[in-house]
Amino acid sequence: MASLVLCFADCELRVASRELRVKGRVRRIEPKVFDVLAYLATHHSRVVGRGELLEAIWTPGVISDAVLATSIMKARRAIEDNDPDLP
């Protein structure tokens, strides 16, 4: 069975090996940041809400908005998403 590779912009997410490549170069990212990228890339055709993302990525418990915001910031930085119009 072929491994799932999610491609967008100049990026490839190799799900089985948990590898992110940007412009052909491997980027090391934290496991939760990888999970956020993979979830968002898998559900790219729709808006993913905060609650859904928290439920899908983190185990039940108290997760602050800062944890989610930091993970998204790190994910955007890893894929070189520098859109000045986004937070």
Side-chain angles (χ1 to χ4, degrees):
M1 184 166 128
S3 296
L4 179 61
V5 177
L6 303 170
C7 299
F8 53 94
D10 292 329
C11 304
E12 289 181 10
L13 275 175
R14 298 176 182 206
V15 177
S17 60
R18 297 188 61 81
E19 181 178 87
L20 168 64
R21 290 179 176 262
V22 179
K23 299 176 185 171
R25 293 193 162 151
V26 174
R27 290 279 173 95
R28 300 206 187 285
I29 58 174
E30 298 169 25
K32 290 295 185 194
V33 175
F34 184 91
D35 294 341
V36 167
L37 279 172
Y39 194 84
L40 292 174
T42 302
H43 298 89
H44 67 89
S45 63
R46 63 184 178 82
V47 174
V48 174
R50 175 191 170 280
E52 178 184 348
L53 192 56
L54 287 171
E55 186 176 310
I57 306 299
W58 283 271
T59 55
V62 179
I63 300 296
S64 71
D65 286 338
V67 170
L68 179 57
T70 299
S71 295
I72 291 173
M73 176 195 64
K74 288 178 179 180
R76 289 185 62 203
R77 194 176 290 153
I79 64 171
E80 298 180 1
D81 179 8
N82 301 317
D83 188 338
D85 295 330
L86 293 174

